[in-house]
Amino acid sequence: MVEIGYLLDECLRQLAAQLAREVAACGDVGQLANNQIRKFWDILRVEQNAAEAYRLALHQCKKADKEIQQAKEDSSKKKQRSSKKRNQKQSSEEAKLRKAFWANVADMANANTFKTYLQQKHLAIPDNALLPLQIVFAENLYCELLYLKKKS
Amino acid sequence: MLTLEIIKAIDQQVDSDEFLQNACQVAHLARKVSDSQMRNLQNIVNATNRFSEILNFVKSQTGRHPKDWRDLGPAIIENLMRIDQYAQKIVKHYLKPQNSPQCTPDQEADCKGEVRLRLCRHWTKMVVAEFLYYKACQEARHG
């Protein structure tokens, strides 16, 4: 087990809190936590497979991107009620938030970008210690989203 | 490694009325929560070296049991953040550059982490003690 010092713990906690806050505006954070982030965390924790977790995040990112494209196409169609257009605009905004969120989560599941992120915070971590930190990050994110669910 | 002055400062903080009052308030908010959940909180606080693990436990419990933890969860989080500030104050005061010129920023950070954990352990112990006492009194009152 890797010893996680104060600075590292704070860094991972704040990062998770920031990502959770940013995505909180897009509706059901409880579902996001319990279905997708829980799965992301389990892949890291149980399977110890950061590559698979990265693929999952990327897949969610692409899914959100498709939703954005779809919303764009729908809004370009004429003869729509203004309420429907409003809904489309809102869901497009939510999809954008989700896309940005998953892009950041994917960065954290990728060893190189995660390491670069930590280096920017002046934290030098050896390669073999990255996975435990990614697990801690995923756990923080899951709990943060659950807590935001309660607030919303 | 904590210096004797820092350990004394921790004890002073733990002995303060404010610290005790905050613990009592939180214990009373926990009346709907089961004994085992409070014991779990104490076990986690005593076993972990990561402050975020304590926050994670409280946050996940609040998300999972919103009825019981609705007021309790935010109150604990608020107090833990207050404890973080106390730890910051203690470390800033006792690790001034003139007092400990050899102390590096990393050592200072680790020291803060250690102080914060010690304060958390004391505070949780007080909360759980008050919680159990309050419950026992309630049970005695209602036969």
Side-chain angles (χ1 to χ4, degrees):
Chain A
M1 189 66 196
V2 182
E3 183 73 24
I4 296 178
Y6 168 82
L7 288 175
L8 203 45
D9 188 36
E10 277 300 292
C11 174
L12 295 174
R13 183 173 73 81
Q14 283 171 11
L15 172 68
Q18 188 196 334
L19 292 186
R21 268 198 308 273
E22 282 170 7
V23 82
C26 78
D28 197 353
V29 279
Q31 199 199 345
L32 179 67
N34 285 322
N35 296 346
Q36 288 133 25
I37 292 298
R38 178 76 204 211
K39 198 171 169 188
F40 176 79
W41 179 30
D42 282 345
I43 291 171
L44 288 168
R45 186 174 53 126
V46 182
E47 298 176 24
Q48 305 263 308
N49 190 343
E52 186 57 35
Y54 174 68
R55 271 194 290 276
L56 172 85
L58 223 52
H59 172 71
Q60 292 296 336
C61 192
K62 281 178 188 165
K63 220 166 120 180
D65 194 38
K66 267 186 190 169
E67 281 176 40
I68 297 168
Q69 298 305 327
Q70 186 66 45
K72 261 186 197 169
E73 283 170 22
D74 289 349
S75 67
S76 63
K77 286 175 192 165
K78 287 176 186 173
K79 282 189 179 176
Q80 275 187 339
R81 278 190 199 160
S82 61
S83 62
K84 200 175 177 185
K85 276 199 167 180
R86 244 196 333 267
N87 286 344
Q88 275 169 357
K89 198 179 173 191
Q90 195 187 345
S91 64
S92 167
E93 291 300 318
E94 286 175 3
K96 276 180 193 167
L97 282 177
R98 273 203 305 278
K99 186 186 169 189
F101 170 78
W102 281 111
N104 284 322
V105 173
D107 279 349
M108 295 305 125
N110 180 307
N112 287 331
T113 44
F114 187 50
K115 208 173 165 183
T116 311
Y117 173 80
L118 293 175
Q119 276 168 354
Q120 282 167 358
K121 302 274 174 187
H122 309 290
L123 297 162
I125 307 293
D127 284 346
N128 60 355
L130 286 176
L131 185 64
L133 300 183
Q134 286 166 326
I135 295 171
V136 169
F137 163 73
E139 182 192 351
N140 289 348
L141 189 56
Y142 172 71
C143 295
E144 202 65 49
L145 286 169
L146 269 189
Y147 188 62
L148 287 178
K149 175 194 109 179
K150 173 253 154 200
K151 273 189 174 172
S152 63
Chain B
M1 187 70 181
L2 300 182
T3 62
L4 202 57
E5 282 94 354
I6 291 180
I7 293 171
K8 275 184 187 169
I10 292 172
D11 287 345
Q12 270 177 1
Q13 187 62 58
V14 172
D15 274 342
S16 70
D17 288 345
E18 189 193 1
F19 211 69
L20 180 65
Q21 273 170 9
N22 290 341
C24 288
Q25 277 170 5
V26 169
H28 291 190
L29 287 175
R31 60 188 177 275
K32 290 180 190 166
V33 173
S34 67
D35 291 10
S36 62
Q37 280 180 314
M38 292 307 281
R39 292 262 188 226
N40 280 347
L41 171 67
Q42 193 175 18
N43 287 341
I44 283 173
V45 172
N46 286 337
T48 190
N49 284 323
R50 273 174 44 218
F51 184 65
S52 68
E53 201 171 344
I54 306 169
L55 291 175
N56 284 349
F57 176 79
V58 177
K59 285 179 178 177
S60 62
Q61 289 297 315
T62 310
R64 281 182 198 144
H65 311 285
K67 273 187 187 168
D68 300 347
W69 285 72
R70 192 185 62 196
D71 299 325
L72 177 63
I76 296 179
I77 301 280
E78 193 186 309
N79 275 284
L80 291 176
M81 289 306 166
R82 214 173 277 158
I83 285 172
D84 181 58
Q85 288 167 5
Y86 295 148
Q88 179 77 32
K89 264 187 203 167
I90 290 173
V91 171
K92 277 271 174 271
H93 188 263
Y94 289 97
L95 288 185
K96 282 175 189 164
Q98 63 266 32
N99 292 346
S100 51
Q102 310 95 331
C103 188
T104 65
D106 278 0
Q107 284 170 330
E108 191 182 320
D110 285 339
C111 181
K112 185 191 161 187
E114 180 65 30
V115 172
R116 189 168 65 173
L117 271 179
R118 285 196 183 206
L119 286 171
C120 280
R121 283 174 190 154
H122 282 295
W123 184 78
T124 312
K125 197 172 154 186
M126 289 158 93
V127 171
V128 174
E130 180 66 26
F131 164 79
L132 292 173
Y133 179 69
Y134 181 73
K135 272 212 159 178
C137 288
Q138 290 280 314
E139 279 171 15
R141 214 172 285 162
H142 297 109

